[in-house]
Amino acid sequence: MIEGPYFVLAVLGVLGTGLVAGVFCGFSTFVMRGLASLPPAQGVAAMKAINVTAVTPAFMLLFVGSTVLCAVIAVVTLVLWPDEGAVELLLGSALYLSGSFGVTMFANVPRNNALLKPAQGTAEATAYWPDYVREWTAWNHVRTVASTAAALAYVLALT
């Protein structure tokens, strides 16, 4: 079992990645389905509002803070290579950094930006909506699985 600072880092890693996984899971399991059930113009308006309000200090501290924490865990693990849990710590960090943060930056955020471009209620916005929901949700599933797997890897590092 890992001890000392590694223990603290791993516990914080479990909490951060697990909480982010919960947010993403909520979107994958019911938020996007609810939005998709609305008429396109209403779904677009609701998602635009969500995208604006998601960038709050509380969520950004959790999401970006977990990203920084995972990077710190990876660097500390690579530099000091603990006797126990090194592989699990590196795996958890890689899963979160690539599958959660990376996918957000390279798949979900560009789709959010594309959704913001057309004016509200235009034919262009409503025509993009079905593709947006399908693609954004598929990538969100990846983020959910990656964040959950990262939390699990950190838990395994603790055992």
Side-chain angles (χ1 to χ4, degrees), residues 6 24 36 40 47 50 53 84 116 133 145 153 155:
Y6 286 110
F24 292 157
M47 191 65 189
I50 289 170
T53 59
E84 301 288 331
L116 285 173
V133 169
V145 170
V155 166

Side-chain angles (χ1 to χ4, degrees), residues 6 11 24 27 65 69 71 74 79 95 99 122 133 146-148 152 155:
Y6 286 110
V11 167
F24 292 157
F27 269 85
L69 176 63
V79 170
L95 284 164
T122 63
V133 169
S147 299
T148 303
L152 177 59
V155 166

Side-chain angles (χ1 to χ4, degrees), residues 12-29:
L12 292 173
V14 169
L15 292 173
T17 59
L19 287 168
V20 171
V23 170
F24 292 157
C25 182
F27 269 85
S28 281
T29 58

Side-chain angles (χ1 to χ4, degrees), residues 7 16-17 41 47 56 66 74-75 105 108 110 118 122-123 135 138-139 157 159:
F7 180 82
T17 59
M47 191 65 189
T56 62
S66 295
V75 169
M105 293 301 109
N108 293 88
T122 63
E135 294 169 1
W139 283 111
T159 59

Side-chain angles (χ1 to χ4, degrees), residues 32 36 108 111 127-141:
M32 293 308 289
N108 293 88
R111 284 167 177 76
Y128 178 55
W129 180 241
D131 290 336
Y132 173 87
V133 169
R134 187 184 69 259
E135 294 169 1
W136 191 97
T137 303
W139 283 111
N140 193 65
H141 293 337

Side-chain angles (χ1 to χ4, degrees), residues 32-105:
M32 293 308 289
R33 288 182 185 188
L35 295 177
S37 72
L38 296 171
Q42 291 177 1
V44 170
M47 191 65 189
K48 283 183 176 184
I50 289 170
N51 287 336
V52 168
T53 59
V55 186
T56 62
F59 180 70
M60 294 312 290
L61 178 64
L62 174 63
F63 181 67
V64 176
S66 295
T67 302
V68 170
L69 176 63
C70 290
V72 167
I73 290 171
V75 169
V76 168
T77 301
L78 285 169
V79 170
L80 300 177
W81 203 267
D83 294 334
E84 301 288 331
V87 171
E88 293 86 351
L89 291 170
L90 290 174
L91 180 61
S93 294
L95 284 164
Y96 188 85
L97 292 171
S98 62
S100 182
F101 185 76
V103 167
T104 298
M105 293 301 109

